[in-house]
PDB file of all heavy atoms in Angstrom:
ATOM      1  N   LEU B 424     105.550  80.863  79.698  1.00 76.00           N
ATOM      2  CA  LEU B 424     106.121  82.084  80.348  1.00 76.00           C
ATOM      3  C   LEU B 424     107.632  82.365  79.914  1.00 76.00           C
ATOM      4  O   LEU B 424     108.014  83.475  79.780  1.00 76.00           O
ATOM      5  CB  LEU B 424     106.038  81.950  81.846  1.00 76.00           C
ATOM      6  CG  LEU B 424     106.338  83.202  82.702  1.00 76.00           C
ATOM      7  CD1 LEU B 424     105.335  84.355  82.316  1.00 76.00           C
ATOM      8  CD2 LEU B 424     106.224  82.918  84.172  1.00 76.00           C
ATOM      9  N   SER B 425     108.363  81.241  79.785  1.00 77.00           N
ATOM     10  CA  SER B 425     109.840  81.456  79.486  1.00 77.00           C
ATOM     11  C   SER B 425     109.901  82.018  78.055  1.00 77.00           C
ATOM     12  O   SER B 425     110.752  82.918  77.817  1.00 77.00           O
ATOM     13  CB  SER B 425     110.542  80.087  79.535  1.00 77.00           C
ATOM     14  OG  SER B 425     109.935  79.174  78.734  1.00 77.00           O
ATOM     15  N   ALA B 426     109.064  81.589  77.113  1.00 75.00           N
ATOM     16  CA  ALA B 426     109.044  82.155  75.775  1.00 75.00           C
ATOM     17  C   ALA B 426     108.659  83.714  75.829  1.00 75.00           C
ATOM     18  O   ALA B 426     109.210  84.553  75.145  1.00 75.00           O
ATOM     19  CB  ALA B 426     108.155  81.455  74.854  1.00 75.00           C
ATOM     20  N   GLY B 427     107.642  83.913  76.652  1.00 74.00           N
ATOM     21  CA  GLY B 427     107.176  85.348  76.902  1.00 74.00           C
ATOM     22  C   GLY B 427     108.264  86.254  77.403  1.00 74.00           C
ATOM     23  O   GLY B 427     108.523  87.345  76.915  1.00 74.00           O
ATOM     24  N   LEU B 428     109.034  85.756  78.390  1.00 77.00           N
ATOM     25  CA  LEU B 428     110.068  86.516  78.962  1.00 77.00           C
ATOM     26  C   LEU B 428     111.208  86.706  78.023  1.00 77.00           C
ATOM     27  O   LEU B 428     111.826  87.846  77.934  1.00 77.00           O
ATOM     28  CB  LEU B 428     110.627  85.854  80.261  1.00 77.00           C
ATOM     29  CG  LEU B 428     109.752  85.979  81.481  1.00 77.00           C
ATOM     30  CD1 LEU B 428     110.268  85.116  82.617  1.00 77.00           C
ATOM     31  CD2 LEU B 428     109.559  87.423  81.952  1.00 77.00           C
ATOM     32  N   ALA B 429     111.451  85.695  77.194  1.00 76.00           N
ATOM     33  CA  ALA B 429     112.498  85.808  76.152  1.00 76.00           C
ATOM     34  C   ALA B 429     112.155  86.863  75.136  1.00 76.00           C
ATOM     35  O   ALA B 429     113.073  87.589  74.758  1.00 76.00           O
ATOM     36  CB  ALA B 429     112.762  84.439  75.535  1.00 76.00           C
ATOM     37  N   LEU B 430     110.941  86.881  74.740  1.00 77.00           N
ATOM     38  CA  LEU B 430     110.499  87.947  73.751  1.00 77.00           C
ATOM     39  C   LEU B 430     110.650  89.291  74.328  1.00 77.00           C
ATOM     40  O   LEU B 430     111.099  90.273  73.636  1.00 77.00           O
ATOM     41  CB  LEU B 430     109.024  87.714  73.409  1.00 77.00           C
ATOM     42  CG  LEU B 430     108.456  88.644  72.260  1.00 77.00           C
ATOM     43  CD1 LEU B 430     109.199  88.558  71.019  1.00 77.00           C
ATOM     44  CD2 LEU B 430     106.996  88.410  72.075  1.00 77.00           C
ATOM     45  N   LEU B 431     110.240  89.546  75.606  1.00 76.00           N
ATOM     46  CA  LEU B 431     110.461  90.787  76.231  1.00 76.00           C
ATOM     47  C   LEU B 431     111.910  91.063  76.510  1.00 76.00           C
ATOM     48  O   LEU B 431     112.276  92.227  76.554  1.00 76.00           O
ATOM     49  CB  LEU B 431     109.624  90.812  77.541  1.00 76.00           C
ATOM     50  CG  LEU B 431     108.081  90.920  77.412  1.00 76.00           C
ATOM     51  CD1 LEU B 431     107.441  90.494  78.732  1.00 76.00           C
ATOM     52  CD2 LEU B 431     107.726  92.353  77.133  1.00 76.00           C
ATOM     53  N   GLY B 432     112.699  90.049  76.805  1.00 76.00           N
ATOM     54  CA  GLY B 432     114.108  90.231  77.111  1.00 76.00           C
ATOM     55  C   GLY B 432     114.354  90.908  78.396  1.00 76.00           C
ATOM     56  O   GLY B 432     115.151  91.718  78.660  1.00 76.00           O
ATOM     57  N   ILE B 433     113.529  90.407  79.442  1.00 77.00           N
ATOM     58  CA  ILE B 433     113.670  90.999  80.733  1.00 77.00           C
ATOM     59  C   ILE B 433     114.753  90.312  81.582  1.00 77.00           C
ATOM     60  O   ILE B 433     114.852  89.146  81.660  1.00 77.00           O
ATOM     61  CB  ILE B 433     112.295  90.866  81.575  1.00 77.00           C
ATOM     62  CG1 ILE B 433     111.263  91.785  80.933  1.00 77.00           C
ATOM     63  CG2 ILE B 433     112.451  91.207  83.043  1.00 77.00           C
ATOM     64  CD1 ILE B 433     109.908  91.800  81.630  1.00 77.00           C
ATOM     65  N   THR B 434     115.673  91.200  82.149  1.00 75.00           N
ATOM     66  CA  THR B 434     116.720  90.648  82.959  1.00 75.00           C
ATOM     67  C   THR B 434     116.402  90.900  84.401  1.00 75.00           C
ATOM     68  O   THR B 434     115.321  91.546  84.796  1.00 75.00           O
ATOM     69  CB  THR B 434     118.044  91.497  82.639  1.00 75.00           C
ATOM     70  OG1 THR B 434     117.808  92.789  83.043  1.00 75.00           O
ATOM     71  CG2 THR B 434     118.442  91.337  81.224  1.00 75.00           C
ATOM     72  N   ALA B 435     117.246  90.405  85.342  1.00 74.00           N
ATOM     73  CA  ALA B 435     117.025  90.584  86.790  1.00 74.00           C
ATOM     74  C   ALA B 435     117.045  92.115  87.034  1.00 74.00           C
ATOM     75  O   ALA B 435     116.176  92.665  87.855  1.00 74.00           O
ATOM     76  CB  ALA B 435     118.125  89.928  87.608  1.00 74.00           C
ATOM     77  N   THR B 436     117.972  92.867  86.439  1.00 75.00           N
ATOM     78  CA  THR B 436     117.998  94.350  86.658  1.00 75.00           C
ATOM     79  C   THR B 436     116.715  94.929  86.232  1.00 75.00           C
ATOM     80  O   THR B 436     116.138  95.839  86.928  1.00 75.00           O
ATOM     81  CB  THR B 436     119.134  94.962  85.770  1.00 75.00           C
ATOM     82  OG1 THR B 436     120.259  94.226  85.992  1.00 75.00           O
ATOM     83  CG2 THR B 436     119.352  96.372  86.212  1.00 75.00           C
ATOM     84  N   ASP B 437     116.175  94.502  85.146  1.00 77.00           N
ATOM     85  CA  ASP B 437     114.871  95.020  84.676  1.00 77.00           C
ATOM     86  C   ASP B 437     113.779  94.738  85.629  1.00 77.00           C
ATOM     87  O   ASP B 437     112.913  95.566  85.922  1.00 77.00           O
ATOM     88  CB  ASP B 437     114.528  94.415  83.322  1.00 77.00           C
ATOM     89  CG  ASP B 437     115.435  94.744  82.202  1.00 77.00           C
ATOM     90  OD1 ASP B 437     116.130  95.838  82.424  1.00 77.00           O
ATOM     91  OD2 ASP B 437     115.540  94.114  81.183  1.00 77.00           O
ATOM     92  N   GLY B 438     113.861  93.521  86.265  1.00 79.00           N
ATOM     93  CA  GLY B 438     112.824  93.175  87.250  1.00 79.00           C
ATOM     94  C   GLY B 438     112.924  94.115  88.413  1.00 79.00           C
ATOM     95  O   GLY B 438     111.831  94.524  88.922  1.00 79.00           O
ATOM     96  N   LEU B 439     114.168  94.323  88.912  1.00 79.00           N
ATOM     97  CA  LEU B 439     114.395  95.251  90.020  1.00 79.00           C
ATOM     98  C   LEU B 439     113.821  96.640  89.685  1.00 79.00           C
ATOM     99  O   LEU B 439     113.147  97.255  90.478  1.00 79.00           O
ATOM    100  CB  LEU B 439     115.847  95.336  90.334  1.00 79.00           C
ATOM    101  CG  LEU B 439     116.319  95.958  91.608  1.00 79.00           C
ATOM    102  CD1 LEU B 439     115.848  95.116  92.823  1.00 79.00           C
ATOM    103  CD2 LEU B 439     117.848  96.098  91.662  1.00 79.00           C
ATOM    104  N   TRP B 440     114.149  97.068  88.505  1.00 79.00           N
ATOM    105  CA  TRP B 440     113.695  98.355  87.989  1.00 79.00           C
ATOM    106  C   TRP B 440     112.197  98.470  88.034  1.00 79.00           C
ATOM    107  O   TRP B 440     111.565  99.451  88.455  1.00 79.00           O
ATOM    108  CB  TRP B 440     114.301  98.487  86.544  1.00 79.00           C
ATOM    109  CG  TRP B 440     114.262  99.896  86.024  1.00 79.00           C
ATOM    110  CD1 TRP B 440     113.406 100.851  86.256  1.00 79.00           C
ATOM    111  CD2 TRP B 440     115.138 100.377  84.943  1.00 79.00           C
ATOM    112  NE1 TRP B 440     113.651 101.960  85.544  1.00 79.00           N
ATOM    113  CE2 TRP B 440     114.691 101.701  84.723  1.00 79.00           C
ATOM    114  CE3 TRP B 440     116.196  99.805  84.216  1.00 79.00           C
ATOM    115  CZ2 TRP B 440     115.382 102.473  83.753  1.00 79.00           C
ATOM    116  CZ3 TRP B 440     116.825 100.580  83.342  1.00 79.00           C
ATOM    117  CH2 TRP B 440     116.428 101.881  83.067  1.00 79.00           C
ATOM    118  N   LEU B 441     111.560  97.475  87.382  1.00 81.00           N
ATOM    119  CA  LEU B 441     110.125  97.463  87.319  1.00 81.00           C
ATOM    120  C   LEU B 441     109.488  97.493  88.697  1.00 81.00           C
ATOM    121  O   LEU B 441     108.446  98.257  88.896  1.00 81.00           O
ATOM    122  CB  LEU B 441     109.670  96.148  86.521  1.00 81.00           C
ATOM    123  CG  LEU B 441     109.488  96.347  85.069  1.00 81.00           C
ATOM    124  CD1 LEU B 441     109.136  94.953  84.488  1.00 81.00           C
ATOM    125  CD2 LEU B 441     108.361  97.272  84.801  1.00 81.00           C
ATOM    126  N   GLY B 442     110.017  96.633  89.620  1.00 82.00           N
ATOM    127  CA  GLY B 442     109.397  96.618  90.990  1.00 82.00           C
ATOM    128  C   GLY B 442     109.557  97.970  91.621  1.00 82.00           C
ATOM    129  O   GLY B 442     108.578  98.531  92.165  1.00 82.00           O
ATOM    130  N   ALA B 443     110.767  98.622  91.401  1.00 80.00           N
ATOM    131  CA  ALA B 443     110.927  99.894  92.087  1.00 80.00           C
ATOM    132  C   ALA B 443     109.971 100.994  91.343  1.00 80.00           C
ATOM    133  O   ALA B 443     109.430 101.843  92.003  1.00 80.00           O
ATOM    134  CB  ALA B 443     112.360 100.377  91.881  1.00 80.00           C
ATOM    135  N   ALA B 444     109.804 100.839  90.033  1.00 79.00           N
ATOM    136  CA  ALA B 444     108.929 101.789  89.281  1.00 79.00           C
ATOM    137  C   ALA B 444     107.523 101.590  89.848  1.00 79.00           C
ATOM    138  O   ALA B 444     106.838 102.648  90.041  1.00 79.00           O
ATOM    139  CB  ALA B 444     108.955 101.492  87.818  1.00 79.00           C
ATOM    140  N   LEU B 445     107.082 100.395  90.077  1.00 80.00           N
ATOM    141  CA  LEU B 445     105.738 100.171  90.508  1.00 80.00           C
ATOM    142  C   LEU B 445     105.592 100.785  91.963  1.00 80.00           C
ATOM    143  O   LEU B 445     104.605 101.449  92.242  1.00 80.00           O
ATOM    144  CB  LEU B 445     105.407  98.701  90.602  1.00 80.00           C
ATOM    145  CG  LEU B 445     105.066  98.035  89.256  1.00 80.00           C
ATOM    146  CD1 LEU B 445     104.948  96.561  89.350  1.00 80.00           C
ATOM    147  CD2 LEU B 445     103.749  98.616  88.672  1.00 80.00           C
ATOM    148  N   LEU B 446     106.606 100.436  92.795  1.00 81.00           N
ATOM    149  CA  LEU B 446     106.540 100.964  94.181  1.00 81.00           C
ATOM    150  C   LEU B 446     106.636 102.512  94.357  1.00 81.00           C
ATOM    151  O   LEU B 446     106.137 103.020  95.237  1.00 81.00           O
ATOM    152  CB  LEU B 446     107.627 100.298  95.068  1.00 81.00           C
ATOM    153  CG  LEU B 446     107.424  98.832  95.282  1.00 81.00           C
ATOM    154  CD1 LEU B 446     108.621  98.248  95.919  1.00 81.00           C
ATOM    155  CD2 LEU B 446     106.255  98.581  96.234  1.00 81.00           C
ATOM    156  N   SER B 447     107.324 103.097  93.279  1.00 80.00           N
ATOM    157  CA  SER B 447     107.470 104.484  93.361  1.00 80.00           C
ATOM    158  C   SER B 447     106.185 105.323  93.107  1.00 80.00           C
ATOM    159  O   SER B 447     106.210 106.495  93.343  1.00 80.00           O
ATOM    160  CB  SER B 447     108.565 105.016  92.387  1.00 80.00           C
ATOM    161  OG  SER B 447     108.168 104.742  91.068  1.00 80.00           O
ATOM    162  N   GLY B 448     105.132 104.563  92.623  1.00 77.00           N
ATOM    163  CA  GLY B 448     103.872 105.273  92.365  1.00 77.00           C
ATOM    164  C   GLY B 448     103.339 106.145  93.472  1.00 77.00           C
ATOM    165  O   GLY B 448     102.961 107.251  93.289  1.00 77.00           O
ATOM    166  N   GLY B 449     103.349 105.490  94.680  1.00 76.00           N
ATOM    167  CA  GLY B 449     102.802 106.189  95.831  1.00 76.00           C
ATOM    168  C   GLY B 449     103.688 107.399  96.290  1.00 76.00           C
ATOM    169  O   GLY B 449     103.151 108.504  96.562  1.00 76.00           O
TER     170      GLY B 449
END
Side-chain angles (χ1 to χ4, degrees):
Chain B
L424 193 60
S425 55
L428 286 172
L430 180 64
L431 285 160
I433 289 184
T434 62
T436 312
D437 295 340
L439 192 67
W440 192 335
L441 266 174
L445 283 173
L446 289 172
S447 66

